[in-house]
């Protein structure tokens, strides 16, 4: 089975059109190559992985294009789509080409299921945004869970496509820019499932429209882009057909050798402990199962002798007692490489890659230039950390007699209807489901109160943020409705017969505060980041079920803001926000806050609050120095003659904050001209070994140093949350974030 995937980034229009071209070729072609492909392969063509993105872009393009064959002039309006249009994002402005193992979007879930049903031996993801055609082999860094045999096949595919291009004298490139590191791209994810996943990037179409003037004044057309893709596709199908038996044996061998590796490598199992938030662990387990990763559950307590904790489980390697009911992902399974890639605490790199990164960093330090790391994008995604689950990375052999295979996620009592309460219904704040339940109750105008203090009732402790729904203050339909909603959201609801508690304030005290449904506005369009707005939209609409008004900045400056209790400014350029709001918009929002409005500022918008002329907060940006560990430094000896002194003189240069996403790099570059930071002493590496990397030894700690901030493409952070502030309700421990 060969899978040709198109229009993952729907605005890259040549990808969609080439699916039509290839379909026509396979349906109508009578030549030898087509017949070979039809005889030997099942070819699956998915013309639009991301149909909304494609439809939105093409409808816009056709509405502004002024001549039949397109305008090649780069300045033409048709090459400059407005906000939200020239994007590869789906309906919710979420990027499907990062979502493969996160499985947040319906397009992804359906594609993963279909992929697993068909097990393709090759999977090509067709894009289109480069100057000349790109095809594999990929650039470094390559995820070290990918096998040498797979990289060899990528070379072979790249060679036959290159030969087809050379016959026509076309330009192309391989090994440039498009890496194979992040596990959620639609080339790396199929590869980690044993297929040969490849990204093709063609040149024509997309924002280049029907015609586009190249640097050398020649004209690139959509047709060129389609033909380049189609040529690559046919060469791929031909090589696959010619090597059908070998490719099938390779796929089988991939899964079989994964089991063997899982038995031999140091990491034997990842253990997830449900703790307080069973629903959260179940969300992760369900994602693993959708990806055909085997999961087990402990029937009795077990002891791990060599286990290293993720966030929430303590640091260092040592013995841990694991309660019954914990989830175990053993590594001796066919899906080991994918499981490891998405669960591992720290990825491995080749020595060559690390040395190259180190050279680049030194050169950048000398020149005082920003470092450009070798990653296409994010480097940080370990799922137990992102889900905030107590988890262990264990070297102990899996005790199979104590494990029960989890075939479907078992609901553990949380959907059972609560008994009829005579005083009130109560639920905790510590899951997404409980927030969704609360939002729905508020929408249906049930009266609720929130606890601002800790209390204990019915032999159970409840956190700040717990929600109480009183029988006397609500219509008689409450019991039936809250039972239905509890089942839908998977939240345990406790019935109470009295206003009395065991410890803490009784339920009649003032510390229980009445809630109302918030009237929310979210700023959209310029200068917000499309994906950041999309994430807010998706969270409110899909995850919480809360209605909101989307507001452009112009309306924000005109309408009566008393219509809203909460205004959200998603991530965007701080300078862009300041300019578009203007002095009047900024003082308007300040007055609205002084009257009780709640302003939610995310990332770049939060930086806006610290800017001169805005100053909505006394907080400042910490952008000059931080304690960090650069990933390549563990195994690099310190250079000679470097100073131990760090110049901590504060920078007066504020240019770095103009764009939060680029600010750190600018700041680092500016600082580098003046100072050199001390180096950390060399220590044995835990990150540099290949896929057999061992967890750090018991006494080893990550080496950190005070340094200039360096822009890193992704970082895992441990957050300390003030659980007494209402924003921190529901959090009792440190949490992980990316
Ligand atoms: Zn793309």
């Amino acid at each position: 089975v060969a899978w040709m995937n198109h229009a993952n980034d729907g605005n890259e229009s040549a990808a969609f059109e080439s699916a039509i071209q290839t379909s026509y070729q396979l349906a109508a072609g009578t030549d030898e190559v087509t017949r070979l492909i039809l005889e030997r392969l099942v070819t699956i063509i998915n013309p639009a992985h991301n149909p909304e993105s494609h439809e939105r872009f093409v409808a816009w393009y056709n509405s502004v294009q002024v001549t039949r064959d397109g305008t090649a002039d780069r300045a033409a309006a048709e090459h400059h789509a407005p906000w939200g249009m020239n994007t590869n994002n789906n309906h919710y402005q979420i990027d499907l080409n990062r979502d493969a193992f996160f499985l947040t979007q319906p397009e992804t879930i359906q594609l993963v299921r279909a992929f697993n049903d068909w097990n393709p031996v090759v999977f090509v993801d067709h894009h289109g945004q480069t100057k000349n055609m790109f095809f594999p082999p990929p650039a470094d860094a390559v995820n070290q869970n990918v096998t040498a045999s797979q990289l060899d096949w990528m070379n072979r595919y790249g060679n036959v496509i290159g030969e087809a291009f050379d016959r026509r004298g076309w330009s192309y490139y391989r090994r440039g820019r498009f890496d194979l590191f992040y596990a959620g791209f639609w080339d790396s994810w199929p590869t980690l499932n044993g297929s040969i996943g490849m990204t093709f990037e063609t040149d024509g179409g997309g924002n280049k429209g029907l015609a586009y003037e190249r640097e050398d004044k020649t004209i690139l057309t959509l047709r060129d882009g389609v033909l380049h893709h189609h040529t690559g596709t046919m060469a791929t199908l031909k090589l696959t057909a010619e090597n059908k038996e070998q490719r099938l044996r390779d796929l089988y061998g991939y899964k079989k050798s994964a089991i063997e590796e899982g038995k031999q490598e140091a990491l034997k199992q990842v253990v997830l402990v449900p703790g307080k938030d069973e629903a959260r662990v179940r969300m992760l387990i369900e994602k693993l199962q959708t990806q055909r990763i085997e999961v087990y559950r402990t029937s009795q307590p077990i002891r791990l002798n060599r286990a290293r904790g993720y966030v929430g489980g303590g640091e260092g390697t040592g013995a841990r007692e694991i309660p019954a009911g914990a989830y175990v992902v053993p590594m001796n399974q066919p899906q080991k490489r994918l499981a490891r890639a998405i669960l591992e605490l720290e990825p491995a790199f080749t020595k060559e890659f690390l040395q190259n990164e180190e050279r680049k960093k030194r050169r950048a330090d000398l020149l005082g230039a920003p470092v450009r790391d070798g990653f296409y994008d994010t480097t940080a995604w370990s799922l137990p950390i992102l889900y905030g689950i107590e988890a262990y990375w264990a070297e102990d052999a899996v005790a199979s007699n104590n494990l029960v295979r989890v075939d479907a996620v078992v609901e553990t009592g949380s959907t059972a209807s609560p008994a009829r309460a005579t005083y009130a219904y109560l639920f905790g704040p510590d899951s997404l489901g409980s927030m969704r339940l609360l939002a729905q109750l508020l929408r249906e105008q049930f009266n609720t109160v929130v606890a601002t203090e800790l209390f204990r009732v019915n032999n159970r402790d409840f956190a700040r943020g717990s929600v109480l729904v009183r029988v006397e203050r609500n219509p008689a339909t409450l019991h039936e409705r809250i039972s239905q909603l509890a089942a839908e959201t998977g939240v345990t609801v406790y019935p109470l017969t009295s206003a009395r508690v065991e410890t803490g304030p009784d339920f009649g005290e003032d510390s229980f505060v009445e809630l109302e449904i918030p009237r929310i506005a979210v700023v959209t369009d310029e200068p917000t980041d499309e994906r950041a707005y999309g994430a807010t939209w998706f969270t409110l609409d899909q995850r919480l079920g809360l209605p909101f008004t989307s507001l452009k900045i112009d309306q924000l400056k005109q309408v009566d803001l008393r219509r809203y209790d909460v205004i959200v400014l998603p991530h965007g350029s701080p300078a862009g926000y300041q300019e578009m709001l203007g002095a009047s918009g900024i003082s308007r929002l300040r007055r609205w806050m002084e009257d009780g409005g709640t302003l939610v500022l995310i990332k770049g918008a939060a930086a806006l609050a610290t800017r001169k002329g805005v100053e909505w907060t006394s907080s400042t940006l910490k952008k000059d120095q931080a304690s960090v560990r650069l990933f390549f430094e563990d195994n690099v000896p310190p250079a000679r003659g470097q100073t131990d002194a760090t110049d901590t003189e504060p920078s007066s240069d504020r240019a770095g904050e103009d764009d939060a996403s680029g600010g750190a790099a600018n700041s680092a570059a500016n600082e580098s001209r003046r100072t050199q930071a001390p180096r950390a002493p060399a220590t044995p590496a835990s990150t540099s070994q290949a896929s057999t990397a061992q967890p750090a030894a018991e006494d080893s700690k990550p080496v950190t140093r005070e340094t200039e901030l360096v822009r890193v493409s992704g970082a895992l952070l441990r957050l300390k949350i003030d659980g007494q502030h209402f924003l921190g309700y529901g959090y009792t421990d440190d949490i992980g974030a990316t």
Side-chain angles (χ1 to χ4, degrees):
V1 176
W3 189 304
M4 299 298 116
N5 203 56
H6 299 257
N8 174 347
D9 295 338
N11 63 318
E12 294 168 7
S13 52
F16 180 91
E17 301 300 328
S18 83
I20 309 300
Q21 180 70 40
T22 302
S23 303
Y24 176 63
Q25 178 68 40
L26 295 183
T30 54
D31 58 289
E32 205 177 312
V33 171
T34 303
R35 276 189 284 125
L36 176 78
I37 292 167
L38 291 174
E39 252 165 49
R40 309 211 74 201
L41 300 181
V42 173
T43 304
I44 295 175
I45 298 175
N46 181 18
H49 176 151
N50 188 347
E52 272 83 5
S53 163
H54 177 258
E55 184 177 284
R56 183 173 60 204
F57 178 80
V58 170
W60 169 81
Y61 181 84
N62 288 336
S63 74
V64 296
Q65 167 213 356
V66 295
T67 58
R68 189 177 156 275
D69 297 324
T71 313
D73 184 345
R74 289 180 175 213
E78 65 199 56
H79 300 304
H80 301 275
W83 188 96
M85 199 68 74
N86 187 32
T87 73
N88 48 31
N89 307 329
N90 74 352
H91 173 72
Y92 282 100
Q93 296 288 358
I94 286 173
D95 184 350
L96 296 180
N97 201 23
R98 304 296 182 280
D99 195 43
F101 65 81
F102 279 113
L103 292 151
T104 67
Q105 303 298 302
E107 297 93 326
T108 311
I109 294 167
Q110 297 308 327
L111 192 54
V112 164
R113 286 192 179 137
F115 180 97
N116 285 331
D117 287 345
W118 289 93
N119 280 310
V121 297
V122 63
F123 184 104
V124 178
D125 199 32
H126 295 73
H127 290 255
Q129 59 160 3
T130 48
K131 191 167 161 181
N132 290 297
M133 175 96 173
F134 166 85
F135 45 82
D140 244 352
V142 170
N143 193 301
Q144 291 299 292
N145 292 294
V146 172
T147 67
S149 155
Q150 290 178 304
L151 290 172
D152 184 51
W153 271 107
M154 287 175 197
N155 262 313
R156 292 182 65 178
Y157 280 113
N159 286 340
V160 294
I161 299 165
E163 283 162 18
F165 271 55
D166 289 340
R167 280 196 288 277
R168 303 194 185 217
W170 292 338
S171 292
Y172 59 87
Y173 68 106
R174 305 164 300 149
R175 293 191 199 87
R177 191 169 168 217
F178 298 97
D179 71 3
L180 198 70
F181 183 65
Y182 171 60
F185 292 130
W186 276 99
D187 51 8
S188 44
W189 189 88
T191 302
L192 290 164
N193 278 274
S195 188
I196 304 301
M198 299 189 286
T199 289
F200 287 2
E201 289 279 355
T202 195
D203 45 3
N207 65 5
K208 294 170 197 157
L210 289 174
Y212 196 71
E213 189 179 81
R214 290 194 184 98
E215 282 78 1
D216 60 8
K217 310 292 181 202
T218 58
I219 304 298
L220 172 69
T221 65
L222 173 66
R223 277 170 184 273
D224 293 328
V226 172
L227 185 57
H228 297 159
H229 258 337
H230 176 65
T231 303
T233 303
M234 291 303 286
T236 301
L237 292 174
K238 177 169 178 278
L239 185 68
T240 310
E242 287 165 352
N243 293 276
K244 172 177 174 168
E245 292 79 12
Q246 185 59 46
R247 294 297 305 112
L248 286 169
R249 270 199 298 274
D250 287 346
L251 179 58
Y252 175 72
Y254 177 90
K255 306 275 183 179
K256 194 156 181 267
S257 62
I259 302 174
E260 290 308 311
E261 274 183 22
K263 282 181 190 159
Q264 281 153 23
E265 286 172 4
L267 171 67
K268 299 291 193 303
Q269 52 185 321
V270 172
V271 178
L272 306 161
V273 182
K276 280 177 299 225
D277 195 352
E278 174 82 24
R280 185 175 283 266
V281 180
R282 282 209 304 264
M283 275 171 68
L284 174 54
I285 299 300
E286 210 175 308
K287 288 184 197 299
L288 299 179
Q289 290 182 320
T290 303
Q291 297 173 78
R292 303 264 167 106
I293 293 169
E294 292 170 18
V295 182
Y296 296 79
R297 221 167 173 186
T298 56
S299 56
Q300 296 160 37
I302 54 171
R303 181 183 165 83
L304 300 172
N305 290 310
R306 285 193 59 77
R308 182 176 167 193
Y310 290 67
V311 172
E315 283 170 283
T317 302
R320 296 283 190 290
E321 302 295 336
I322 304 295
Y327 293 95
V328 173
V329 185
M331 289 296 126
N332 58 341
Q333 62 165 301
Q335 287 290 70
K336 168 244 162 186
R337 295 189 184 96
L338 176 68
R340 182 165 174 141
I342 64 180
L343 296 172
E344 66 189 352
L345 203 47
E346 284 186 277
F349 299 97
T350 62
K351 209 170 151 193
E352 294 71 34
F353 177 75
L354 294 173
Q355 284 171 343
N356 196 35
E357 291 300 292
E358 215 275 334
R359 266 197 299 275
K360 284 195 298 189
K361 171 76 168 69
R362 278 174 202 234
R363 182 163 190 278
D365 281 351
L366 276 173
L367 297 175
V371 193
R372 197 185 152 86
D373 65 40
F375 300 106
Y376 190 80
D377 55 26
T378 190
T379 61
W381 61 81
S382 179
L383 286 179
I385 293 178
L386 293 188
Y387 275 80
I389 293 166
E390 182 183 341
Y392 300 94
W393 165 270
E395 295 178 30
D396 303 68
V398 180
S400 54
N401 57 340
N402 191 15
L403 296 179
V404 182
R405 171 86 177 259
V406 183
D407 286 318
V409 176
V410 187
E411 304 288 331
T412 52
S414 60
T415 55
S417 288
R420 187 172 284 275
T422 52
Y423 173 66
Y425 297 90
L426 175 66
F427 56 92
D430 43 13
S431 73
L432 189 61
S434 60
M435 293 300 104
R436 190 176 171 84
L437 170 58
L438 173 60
Q440 197 56 41
L441 289 169
L442 290 172
R443 284 188 77 173
E444 296 180 20
Q445 298 183 320
F446 287 102
N447 285 312
T448 60
V449 291
V450 63
T452 62
E453 297 294 340
L454 306 169
F455 61 93
R456 185 174 176 83
V457 67
N458 294 355
N459 295 318
R460 196 178 287 272
D461 290 314
F462 284 87
R464 293 182 179 87
S466 295
V467 174
L468 191 73
V469 195
R470 294 172 174 134
V471 173
E472 186 209 1
R473 307 288 173 89
N474 278 296
T477 54
L478 174 62
H479 175 75
E480 192 190 341
R481 191 62 187 131
I482 202 168
S483 301
Q484 281 170 351
L485 291 172
E488 277 171 34
T489 54
V491 175
T492 304
V493 173
Y494 301 93
L496 301 175
T497 55
S498 166
R500 187 186 308 173
V501 297
E502 286 147 28
T503 61
D506 283 334
F507 293 130
E509 271 208 27
D510 291 355
S511 61
F512 289 88
V513 178
E514 285 70 20
L515 289 172
E516 279 180 51
I517 189 161
R519 298 167 303 165
I520 303 170
V522 179
V523 174
T524 186
D525 209 321
E526 299 290 352
T528 71
D529 176 273
E530 288 142 330
R531 289 170 191 159
Y533 169 74
T536 307
W537 174 17
F538 182 77
T539 301
L540 290 172
D541 187 38
Q542 287 288 314
R543 292 247 199 261
L544 296 175
L546 275 175
F548 68 94
T549 301
S550 60
L551 275 186
K552 292 188 182 188
I553 291 270
D554 280 350
Q555 275 66 47
L556 183 71
K557 287 159 77 173
Q558 287 168 26
V559 294
D560 182 355
L561 293 180
R562 286 173 300 184
R563 289 155 59 167
Y564 310 107
D565 305 309
V566 178
I567 298 175
V568 182
L569 270 56
H571 169 60
S573 153
Y577 264 122
Q578 188 169 12
E579 191 188 327
M580 288 189 70
L581 281 167
S584 67
I586 285 161
S587 59
R588 235 172 159 248
L589 280 169
R590 174 189 289 277
R591 278 196 305 278
W592 171 80
M593 281 186 277
E594 284 164 355
D595 289 342
T598 299
L599 191 62
V600 178
L601 304 167
I602 302 172
K603 201 175 165 184
L608 166 71
T610 69
R611 282 174 72 88
K612 196 163 161 34
V614 182
E615 290 139 328
W616 288 331
T617 175
S618 56
S619 302
T620 55
L621 275 185
K622 181 173 169 60
K623 65 192 182 73
D624 298 331
Q625 296 278 315
S627 183
V628 302
R629 178 174 61 118
L630 298 179
F631 67 88
F632 53 74
E633 290 200 325
D634 269 0
N635 58 339
V636 177
R640 282 194 186 146
Q642 284 200 317
T643 172
D644 281 328
T646 303
D647 179 358
T648 54
E649 173 198 331
S651 168
S652 59
D653 175 12
R654 295 182 65 86
E657 74 182 62
D658 278 346
D659 177 348
S661 62
N666 291 341
S667 173
N670 292 329
E671 286 291 302
S672 294
R673 290 195 189 94
R674 292 187 284 110
T675 67
Q676 269 188 312
R679 298 192 68 88
T683 62
S686 63
T687 53
S688 65
Q689 293 154 17
S691 55
T692 51
Q694 310 228 345
E698 187 134 16
D699 56 350
S700 77
K701 278 194 185 128
V703 177
T704 60
R705 61 171 191 170
E706 281 294 309
T707 183
E708 299 122 8
L709 286 178
V710 173
R711 183 179 175 188
V712 183
S713 318
L716 292 170
L717 308 172
R718 178 190 292 256
L719 306 186
K720 297 203 176 295
I721 305 250
D722 176 3
Q724 298 198 31
H725 190 283
F726 73 88
L727 285 175
Y729 284 178
Y731 293 105
T732 47
D733 302 316
D734 292 358
I735 61 167
T738 180

